[in-house]
Amino acid sequence: METIKSAIKLLVMVIFLGYMLLWIIMPTNKFYLNWLPQIQSKTNSTYFGEQGAYMLIYSFPILFIAALSCLYLHLGNICNDNNVKSEGENISHFATWRRPVLVKGPLGIVSRIELSFAIMFIALLVWSFSSYLHGMFAQISQQAPAHDGEQAWVAKLEMSGLTLGLVGNICLAFLFFPVTRGSSVLQLIGLTSEASIKYHIWLGHIAMTIFTAHGLCYIIFWAKTDQISQMLGWDKVAVSNVAGEIGLLAGLAMWITSIPRIRRKIFELFFYTHHLYILFVVFFVLHVGFSYSCIILPGFYLFLIDRYLRFLQSQQRIRLVSARILPCDTVELNFFKSPGLSYNPTSILFVNVPVISKLQWHPFTITSSSNVDPDKLSVVIKSEGSWSRKLFQKLSSPSPLDRLEVSIEGPYGPASTHFTGHGMLVMISGGSGITPFISIIHELLSLANNSTGKTPRILLISAFKKSQDLAMLDLILPVLGTTLDISPLEVQIEAYVTREKKSAENNRQLVQTLWFKPKAEDSPVSAILGPKSWLWLAAIISSSFIIFLVLIGFLTRYYIYPIDHNSNTIYATSWRGGLNMLLICVSIVITATAAFLWNKKQHTKEMTRIQNTEKPTPIASPASWFYNAERELESLPHQSFIQATRVHYGERPNLKKLLMEIEATNVGVLVSGPKKMRQEVGEICASGFANNLHFESIAFSW
């Protein structure tokens, strides 16, 4: 099995290197004047026309890589190794590359490997721009005797605008990969969508800067040559200027509302405006034609599959078992999950509560472990924003609820983790940033009880504003009734209460638990495509693309070709692009729906069992589903856990001192919290005095 996985990974690497080589040679005259015409002449059939060559060159390699990645991940699940051993052995080799090199600045915390790839990408953009421009200016120079100086300048301005458009497409080709939550490509290289959002932001800023300059160059060119009416031009078989302008306006709206200050203060505006990506992509295709749009097709194609699968999953109502209300304005939601669903620590779940908002979806870090709680999945929600405050108020109201309708998307998380590869783990959190560490500790607790191997020592440094926030530490221990023993896990907890000088003994509040009555139609949290989800995703990617090719072949051969005869001068380019986009959607809907319905049918027996399972009313409150669970931090039965916890009042953690005092080697430093805390830890780990510390910033949602 390992041999097959290695062969798949090698094949993926070879195809990807060839794909990147294509981007390097694309701006050259050798490619456009020699190689591309030869490929077009061999693929220009009556079934695909000119677009056949573009789909073969630009679309097929990445979709093939995505399908192979699914197969690789499926084999990894069969082996049930999750790459823990291999990653643990290679941590020391990649520690230098993972070390932060940029900490403060507009890019956030950037590691050496991220900076290296960013430099290579910028180099690709510069190379493409200079190569395109050199070839186009050479043509203008050959025609120089026929133009005066001003005419040559105007011609160069037009070519500069065209070059900017071509270079911007490079950014657009990679833009949708980071936001594809269930991406097999990201999982293959050890990334998650949550951790890759910053790459989407970087690419978006670069793309919109280039496309804005592209539009301005053409507007100035048209104004200078008295062709301003071209702004309203919609050519039948060439570039549509109006479509490009509409797409640019949609992109500008998304760009402006994504400015950090606007996004933080008016998140709803940013969220809803970002749905203009549909207009942006549609009018981009209408602007340049479907053939050239094949450059961006792979990333957007995979995003569409992922988005439709998320839509199908979101239509189900999930069985919410209970809610624990903590005294720190925090609620823990406990869902019933399919025993066959497994996920790794730091995974996230998107939650929608229709009674609060039918449109808003919010991501939350999963705090439970699939190995510790095979039938339960938990998320923790801190009452911070308007949505979470409404949820907390509804659950903690004097009139208790007996049911709360909830829909979910996910879970999404890393395909593997490397936490066991360290001799010691230092977890640094601020406020609700402790949530991803809860799942990590649960996972390590399971390993400590069920594995003969040695688990790393844990030092948890948590900073809270008020003493009532210490109730978050209560979530670290598994619920009562589990058979796991915490003693094999070596844990030390340093908790800091920054805004109080002493413990507020008189304000002690008990944890409250609200139990919900299930409905027959409620479903457990489960993978949208079942336990063999990666294999099903590979089938969807490959079969949908094959169906698309069949449909587009019939459309071209029996409808477009009799009219146009592959001349590309009669049949409207925009109509061809619109029909092709429609066929893509039809292909994805057919295959994804079929896979979803098949897996839903397989879940029928499990859903029937759930319907017959009734949660007993707690003894503490026979007549009500709401009761006080008398469980405080001091009253926990695990005295070893309490003894390992030290609470410091009225001070902040001296992170530099704490980290520098660590003498162990191969120390993994995980930080999850406010930006300043992540920057401070990043600076410490980036310094030359902390070579034993391996830094990792954990993305968390609450």
Side-chain angles (χ1 to χ4, degrees), residues 59-308:
S59 302
F60 177 74
I62 295 299
L63 295 180
F64 187 50
I65 286 176
L68 288 176
S69 300
C70 291
L71 182 58
Y72 177 88
L73 295 169
H74 174 71
L75 294 176
N77 289 341
I78 293 177
C79 295
N80 197 28
D81 56 9
N82 286 328
N83 292 335
V84 172
K85 180 179 178 181
S86 60
E87 289 202 28
E89 293 173 349
N90 293 327
I91 283 178
S92 59
H93 299 291
F94 293 99
T96 303
W97 287 100
R98 290 175 176 171
R99 191 176 296 276
V101 62
L102 297 178
V103 178
K104 295 182 178 179
L107 299 181
I109 300 176
V110 182
S111 66
R112 293 182 179 180
I113 190 169
E114 289 174 334
L115 183 61
S116 300
F117 276 101
I119 291 174
M120 287 189 286
F121 186 78
I122 296 298
L124 175 63
L125 297 182
V126 172
W127 155 254
S128 300
F129 182 80
S130 59
S131 183
Y132 279 128
L133 213 58
H134 175 76
M136 294 177 183
F137 279 11
Q139 293 181 357
I140 296 175
S141 300
Q142 293 175 0
Q143 302 172 357
H147 301 286
D148 55 26
E150 184 174 356
Q151 288 179 327
W153 176 85
V154 171
K156 289 182 178 180
L157 177 64
E158 181 186 16
M159 293 299 101
S160 298
L162 176 59
T163 299
L164 288 169
L166 295 173
V167 174
N169 293 336
I170 301 176
C171 301
L172 209 56
F174 295 93
L175 185 64
F176 288 95
F177 285 102
V179 291
T180 304
R181 295 176 191 166
S183 171
S184 59
V185 178
L186 291 180
Q187 294 277 358
L188 182 69
I189 57 179
L191 294 176
T192 63
S193 177
E194 189 78 4
S196 304
I197 288 296
K198 62 180 178 181
Y199 308 138
H200 174 76
I201 296 173
W202 297 352
L203 289 168
H205 284 311
I206 297 174
M208 286 313 304
T209 300
I210 295 175
F211 283 140
T212 302
H214 164 73
L216 289 175
C217 282
Y218 270 98
I219 291 175
I220 296 173
F221 168 74
W222 290 327
K224 189 67 177 178
T225 56
D226 298 324
Q227 302 180 72
I228 201 67
S229 60
Q230 287 292 322
M231 291 186 65
L232 303 177
W234 192 303
D235 199 296
K236 181 179 180 181
V237 295
V239 173
S240 170
N241 298 330
V242 173
E245 292 153 10
I246 296 174
L248 180 59
L249 290 175
L252 288 172
M254 291 187 288
W255 192 24
I256 293 172
T257 55
S258 67
I259 295 173
R261 182 173 299 180
I262 297 176
R263 187 180 71 247
R264 284 194 295 264
K265 291 186 176 181
I266 322 176
F267 180 80
E268 286 79 9
L269 178 63
F270 157 78
F271 177 77
Y272 293 122
T273 304
H274 243 61
H275 286 81
L276 290 174
Y277 76 86
I278 300 173
L279 287 180
F280 180 82
V281 173
V282 168
F283 282 97
F284 173 84
V285 175
L286 298 180
H287 176 55
V288 302
F290 184 79
S291 294
Y292 194 74
S293 299
C294 290
I295 290 178
I296 73 161
L297 179 61
F300 189 66
Y301 192 93
L302 296 174
F303 173 79
L304 280 181
I305 292 176
D306 178 74
R307 187 66 190 87
Y308 184 66

Side-chain angles (χ1 to χ4, degrees), residues 81 294 357 418 635 643 655 688:
D81 56 9
C294 290
S357 174
H418 54 265
S635 64
Q643 294 170 359
L655 297 177

Side-chain angles (χ1 to χ4, degrees), residues 223-507:
K224 189 67 177 178
T225 56
D226 298 324
Q227 302 180 72
I228 201 67
S229 60
Q230 287 292 322
M231 291 186 65
L232 303 177
W234 192 303
D235 199 296
K236 181 179 180 181
V237 295
V239 173
S240 170
N241 298 330
V242 173
E245 292 153 10
I246 296 174
L248 180 59
L249 290 175
L252 288 172
M254 291 187 288
W255 192 24
I256 293 172
T257 55
S258 67
I259 295 173
R261 182 173 299 180
I262 297 176
R263 187 180 71 247
R264 284 194 295 264
K265 291 186 176 181
I266 322 176
F267 180 80
E268 286 79 9
L269 178 63
F270 157 78
F271 177 77
Y272 293 122
T273 304
H274 243 61
H275 286 81
L276 290 174
Y277 76 86
I278 300 173
L279 287 180
F280 180 82
V281 173
V282 168
F283 282 97
F284 173 84
V285 175
L286 298 180
H287 176 55
V288 302
F290 184 79
S291 294
Y292 194 74
S293 299
C294 290
I295 290 178
I296 73 161
L297 179 61
F300 189 66
Y301 192 93
L302 296 174
F303 173 79
L304 280 181
I305 292 176
D306 178 74
R307 187 66 190 87
Y308 184 66
L309 288 174
R310 283 159 43 198
F311 168 77
L312 293 175
Q313 187 181 29
S314 67
Q315 301 309 299
Q316 303 178 96
R317 289 291 180 261
I318 302 302
R319 179 177 176 183
L320 181 61
V321 178
S322 64
R324 283 207 295 173
I325 303 171
L326 305 181
C328 53
D329 292 342
T330 301
V331 60
E332 179 192 52
L333 299 181
N334 299 302
F335 301 93
F336 191 91
K337 85 171 187 69
S338 170
L341 174 65
S342 62
Y343 48 86
N344 283 313
T346 71
S347 296
I348 63 170
L349 189 78
F350 284 79
V351 177
N352 170 260
V353 182
V355 71
I356 297 177
S357 174
K358 294 182 179 180
L359 298 177
Q360 292 188 32
W361 289 81
H362 293 266
F364 300 102
T365 304
I366 298 174
T367 55
S368 57
S369 167
S370 56
N371 291 324
V372 176
D373 301 302
D375 297 322
K376 188 191 76 170
L377 184 147
S378 304
V379 296
V380 172
I381 302 174
K382 178 74 171 177
S383 179
E384 294 279 356
S386 59
W387 186 91
S388 56
R389 276 195 297 267
K390 291 178 182 178
L391 176 64
F392 182 80
Q393 291 169 2
K394 186 169 288 293
L395 292 174
S396 59
S397 64
S399 302
L401 300 173
D402 62 358
R403 174 172 168 77
L404 184 67
E405 287 192 352
V406 178
S407 298
I408 60 99
E409 291 180 2
Y412 303 104
S416 60
T417 57
H418 54 265
F419 304 124
T420 56
H422 296 286
M424 180 179 182
L425 285 177
V426 179
M427 304 177 183
I428 304 172
S429 68
S432 299
I434 194 175
T435 52
F437 298 149
I438 295 173
S439 63
I440 295 175
I441 293 175
H442 284 187
E443 188 73 14
L444 293 177
L445 181 60
S446 174
L447 290 174
N449 279 260
N450 301 315
S451 176
T452 57
K454 186 178 180 181
T455 54
R457 293 189 294 121
I458 297 175
L459 171 60
L460 175 61
I461 304 172
S462 296
F464 303 101
K465 292 180 180 180
K466 300 179 180 180
S467 57
Q468 65 180 10
D469 294 333
L470 292 171
M472 296 286 287
L473 296 176
D474 186 33
L475 303 174
I476 294 178
L477 288 173
V479 295
L480 295 176
T482 57
T483 58
L484 295 179
D485 181 13
I486 196 173
S487 57
L489 192 63
E490 190 175 348
V491 182
Q492 178 184 349
I493 300 177
E494 302 289 337
Y496 292 80
V497 181
T498 59
R499 295 187 180 180
E500 293 180 1
K501 297 294 184 180
K502 60 180 180 178
S503 175
E505 296 288 347
N506 297 330
N507 295 329

Side-chain angles (χ1 to χ4, degrees), residues 597-614:
L597 293 177
W598 174 266
N599 282 280
K600 187 176 181 180
K601 182 180 179 181
Q602 300 303 311
H603 289 159
T604 302
K605 293 182 180 180
E606 182 179 13
M607 292 175 65
T608 303
R609 181 177 63 84
I610 294 171
Q611 292 171 8
N612 297 328
T613 303
E614 292 294 336

